[in-house]
Amino acid sequence: MRKIFGYPGDGINGVFGALNRARGKIEFIQARHEEMAAFMASAYAKFTGELGVCIATSGPGASHLITGLYDARLDHMPVLAIAGQQARTAIGGHYQQEVDLPAMFKDVAGAFVQQASSPAQVRHLVDRAVRTAIGERRVTAIIMPNDLQELAYVEPPRAHGTVHSGVGFTRPKTVPYEADLRRAADVLNSGKKVALLVGAGALGAADQVIAVADKLGAGAAKALLGKAVLPDDLPWVTGSIGMLGTEPSYDLMMECDTLLMIGSGFPYSEFLPKEGKARGVQIDIAPDMLSLRYPMEVNLVGDAAETLRALLPLLDQKADGTWRKRIASNLDKWWKTLEERAMQPAKPVNPQRIAWELSPRLPDRVILTSDSGSCANWYARDVKIRRGMMGSLSGGLASMGAAVPYAIAAKFAHSDRPVIAMVGDGAMQMNNMAELITVAKYWRRWIDHRWIVCVLNNEDLNQVTWEQRVMEGDPKFEASQQIPNVPYHRFAELIGLKGIYVDNPNRLGAAWEEALAADRPVVLEVKTDPEVPPLPPHITLQQAKKFTEALIKGDPNESRVIAGAARQVLESILPGGSRDDG
């Protein structure tokens, strides 16, 4: 790790002085806010597989790191946080900016959080914090009192009560025992309709996943953090699963008789087979994630690629292609449905069309990021990913405000790759606009200058608006949901970036091409319709009832809500529709 994301302050000045004296051995990247620095560290770990590091001053600087660190913790990313603290003699004296940092960090960095008390101690704190973070894929934290930072470093003496640590860690090869692999193979070989669910733990194991799926004649759904595991042009890859997922993925899980889950902590059990309907095998490097979402018959602790490689020779080649033909047929219909939805008229632009127009124009090796909210629906469903691409977002935490810092970290991880972020206007106003200044500061260092953030401007906190309608049966609460209209593209121009504004759907394709051809980072602002529903692929009767209740109570946009795309989503549960959950 040769990069640190952070923000300075007097509580950490001693460490910054050391970074300055290191003369470029470690690069410091200055975010506009400590929370964004922690998101960058998390994303850097995701996009490189290496340690992410963030740094902040004492008190408020340290507390600002927490949200980004929880993003790393919930997505099992190795991140080290370094925070300043008040002088050792002041601790416990209700001193200015004195916060009980070991207690504050204890949950998010529970694997290892320690406050240094002497120079000779720092060596083993750093060594162990790094090794723990990488080895356990956890968040760790080191707290440095500011007076300690000013002392000369000394090696630990050869004396009782001292620790003499060393550096270095190589991940071990972790593979289950042969007997357990055979038990798993027996389950998988007996299945006639096998479904795979792959998550972030399967990234880097695409070849092995494809080989196993082909041998089993299986279909594969992707958890959101595993979107880049498999390309979407394979006729048996059904796309995302869950609230932001596809109808073919839902059907795959409801109809399968065997489930193989690989490296996924996908949380929503209602989108998995009903308990007892399918036999299950799960592969995960973390034992505490096994059999957590579905009661598995065989649990395998191991690396995804190595375990699948060992499992493959034990699998029988399935000759009957009926299951895959059904999956492919469902997919053909689904992609046509998505295209029809994307092309539905809206006022002024249908947000689905943004992703639909982007997909065929995605450059090779692009890195994609998305924020939480309605934009994540279009990223999950409509963007077709190809081999060699990367993509991520705040998964377990599902935090707003991660898309832009993720995209910045992607450039510092892979300067030669194009980066595209999708973000809602709520997250831009919350904290992402400021990080455009970070882009303006650093973009000339990047080998490939293609860095685009697409802002979906609908003046609404849209995901929550629809959740209020469909899950709670409440109409849109304008006091909480409506947000100001801001010219994001003009702000970009003000700070030296390129701004593009689109309020005509027929200009979207050309706008994406213009953005990708620009000689500098771009803010592409699209004025979108908030009444296009970002709803799950399968609507239950209960959800339809709640939606109707919201309209009866008097939604401020009732006439627009019930038109167009909303009817498409609800048609399967309306009279004459194809499915009724009763």
Side-chain angles (χ1 to χ4, degrees), residues 472-483:
E472 306 299 330
D474 288 327
K476 176 179 176 178
F477 181 34
E478 289 193 307
S480 72
Q481 299 310 108
Q482 189 171 5
I483 61 175

Side-chain angles (χ1 to χ4, degrees), residues 210-218 312-319 324:
I210 291 170
V212 166
D214 284 343
K215 209 161 189 183
L216 295 172
L312 187 62
L314 305 177
L315 300 176
D316 299 333
Q317 180 66 56
K318 296 198 186 302
R324 274 199 165 178

Side-chain angles (χ1 to χ4, degrees), residues 354-495:
I354 297 171
W356 191 260
E357 296 283 358
L358 170 62
S359 277
R361 296 173 171 87
L362 285 172
D364 291 339
R365 301 178 68 244
V366 70
I367 302 177
L368 299 162
T369 74
S370 171
D371 217 89
S372 295
S374 60
C375 63
N377 292 266
W378 322 131
Y379 163 77
R381 292 188 194 130
D382 293 80
V383 173
K384 294 182 180 180
I385 207 159
R386 305 192 302 271
R387 282 294 287 262
M389 296 179 178
M390 301 175 77
S392 197
L393 75 175
S394 177
L397 191 63
S399 174
M400 287 178 66
V404 170
Y406 264 49
I408 293 170
K411 270 299 187 186
F412 281 104
H414 303 283
S415 177
D416 61 332
R417 299 177 70 151
V419 174
I420 299 173
M422 294 180 65
V423 59
D425 49 355
M428 283 301 289
Q429 292 182 21
M430 180 179 284
N431 47 30
N432 279 193
M433 280 184 75
E435 291 307 320
L436 294 178
I437 300 171
T438 305
V439 176
K441 177 176 180 177
Y442 289 110
W443 71 267
R444 290 173 181 82
R445 302 184 187 183
W446 299 337
I447 296 170
D448 186 324
H449 291 161
R450 287 177 293 178
W451 188 95
I452 303 165
V453 56
C454 179
V455 184
L456 283 65
N457 180 356
N458 57 21
E459 301 178 51
D460 182 54
L461 298 176
N462 199 236
Q463 186 80 9
V464 175
T465 293
W466 281 98
E467 287 170 346
Q468 287 175 342
R469 289 166 172 162
V470 176
M471 299 173 73
E472 306 299 330
D474 288 327
K476 176 179 176 178
F477 181 34
E478 289 193 307
S480 72
Q481 299 310 108
Q482 189 171 5
I483 61 175
N485 186 20
V486 174
Y488 306 97
H489 68 292
R490 293 180 63 186
F491 178 76
E493 293 168 349
L494 185 67
I495 60 174

Side-chain angles (χ1 to χ4, degrees), residues 175-368:
V175 182
Y177 285 109
E178 179 79 9
D180 292 322
L181 290 168
R182 290 194 177 278
R183 288 198 305 122
D186 288 343
V187 172
L188 296 170
N189 287 332
S190 68
K192 290 182 169 44
K193 296 185 288 186
V194 181
L196 273 59
L197 173 56
V198 297
L203 291 169
D207 291 339
Q208 291 77 21
V209 172
I210 291 170
V212 166
D214 284 343
K215 209 161 189 183
L216 295 172
K222 300 187 287 188
L224 200 48
L225 289 175
K227 183 174 176 66
V229 172
L230 295 170
D232 288 307
D233 55 8
L234 294 173
W236 46 270
V237 174
T238 59
S240 298
I241 187 174
M243 304 289 286
L244 314 185
T246 71
E247 191 171 305
S249 288
Y250 183 86
D251 292 339
L252 179 76
M253 291 296 151
M254 295 304 106
E255 297 174 14
C256 73
D257 61 19
T258 309
L259 172 63
L260 172 58
M261 188 181 295
I262 308 167
S264 175
F266 173 72
Y268 302 122
S269 297
E270 67 268 28
F271 290 94
L272 298 178
K274 292 181 180 179
E275 187 171 342
K277 185 177 179 182
R279 302 178 73 183
V281 175
Q282 186 173 357
I283 300 169
D284 205 292
I285 196 65
D288 64 341
M289 297 303 295
L290 293 169
S291 235
L292 187 61
R293 311 303 186 200
Y294 189 83
M296 297 295 176
E297 192 169 332
V298 182
N299 292 292
L300 301 175
V301 177
D303 302 307
E306 296 290 350
T307 302
L308 292 172
R309 189 179 290 115
L311 184 62
L312 187 62
L314 305 177
L315 300 176
D316 299 333
Q317 180 66 56
K318 296 198 186 302
D320 184 7
T322 305
W323 176 233
R324 274 199 165 178
K325 288 178 183 176
R326 173 167 174 72
I327 294 167
S329 176
N330 286 345
L331 270 170
D332 286 341
K333 294 174 185 175
W334 175 250
W335 286 118
K336 289 175 184 175
T337 297
L338 281 186
E339 183 174 17
E340 290 172 1
R341 290 182 182 176
M343 296 304 168
Q344 284 287 316
K347 297 182 179 179
V349 177
N350 185 333
Q352 296 170 100
R353 187 164 175 178
I354 297 171
W356 191 260
E357 296 283 358
L358 170 62
S359 277
R361 296 173 171 87
L362 285 172
D364 291 339
R365 301 178 68 244
V366 70
I367 302 177
L368 299 162

Side-chain angles (χ1 to χ4, degrees), residues 491-568:
F491 178 76
E493 293 168 349
L494 185 67
I495 60 174
L497 309 181
K498 182 178 179 64
I500 301 174
Y501 181 76
V502 176
D503 59 3
N504 182 338
N506 295 322
R507 286 196 57 241
L508 271 174
W512 276 120
E513 291 167 8
E514 182 183 355
L516 286 163
D519 64 349
R520 65 191 60 208
V522 176
V523 172
L524 170 59
E525 179 186 349
V526 183
K527 194 67 177 175
T528 58
D529 190 339
E531 304 312 332
V532 176
L535 298 178
H538 177 67
I539 306 297
T540 66
L541 184 59
Q542 180 65 20
Q543 289 169 331
K545 288 178 178 176
K546 291 291 187 182
F547 177 69
T548 304
E549 288 175 13
L551 297 180
I552 291 173
K553 292 174 182 176
D555 194 279
N557 296 322
E558 178 179 347
S559 61
R560 292 181 59 202
V561 168
I562 62 176
R567 182 168 297 279
Q568 285 189 358

